[in-house]
Amino acid sequence: HVQLVESGGGSVQAGGSLRLSCVASGDTISRYCMGWFRQTPGKEREGVAAIESGGEATYYGKFVQGRFTIARDNAKNELYLRMDMLKPEDTAVYYCAADRKSWCPFEGLDTDEYDYWGQGTQVTVS
């Protein structure tokens, strides 16, 4: 069983940047597809970015438009999301997730495919 803990959220002005981190414990994530998702009140959770187990491919939601970068360090059991050029509409709770499959089906952006979730970290852009 994998435990995931996100950090790095906060408040930032539009145009600013944040770097989210996700630390995994309980198992190595090197075999897992990993993803970032976000959710705002009253809306469904949506896929932000995903990365294959070995980091060989990355996928992004259409709204990202080149502003975010997902990365992983399997040696440290960590996942990251660098967010630049943030917009007010990026305000949400951001979640880290792990899929036990080593590949990312549906480009890793389908919430139903993931097995483990963190508690989330709030990102507020004003």
Side-chain angles (χ1 to χ4, degrees):
H1 189 82
V2 175
Q3 292 83 44
L4 303 170
V5 178
E6 303 94 337
S7 63
S11 297
V12 64
Q13 291 187 336
S17 299
L18 284 173
R19 182 177 184 255
L20 306 183
S21 297
C22 172
V23 178
S25 61
D27 195 7
T28 175
I29 63 169
S30 62
R31 298 188 299 267
Y32 294 0
C33 166
M34 298 293 295
W36 287 98
F37 292 79
R38 70 184 188 183
Q39 190 170 22
T40 55
K43 289 190 175 182
E44 292 188 354
R45 195 167 294 187
E46 65 177 345
V48 177
I51 185 168
E52 297 284 358
S53 59
E56 60 270 28
T58 57
Y59 312 100
Y60 296 92
K62 291 181 180 179
F63 59 86
V64 170
Q65 297 178 329
R67 300 178 297 127
F68 299 174
T69 304
I70 188 172
R72 65 192 298 161
D73 186 334
N74 286 341
K76 294 183 177 180
N77 236 26
E78 295 183 1
L79 179 73
Y80 310 103
L81 183 68
R82 170 75 181 189
M83 302 187 293
D84 297 313
M85 295 181 287
L86 283 161
K87 305 175 182 179
E89 50 264 45
D90 294 318
T91 296
V93 177
Y94 283 71
Y95 298 90
C96 168
D99 180 347
R100 286 177 292 188
K101 295 184 288 296
S102 62
W103 73 98
C104 296
F106 306 107
E107 298 188 340
L109 300 179
D110 185 344
T111 57
D112 291 341
E113 295 294 327
Y114 284 81
D115 302 291
Y116 306 108
W117 293 85
Q119 293 300 307
T121 184
Q122 175 71 46
V123 171
T124 303
V125 185
S126 59

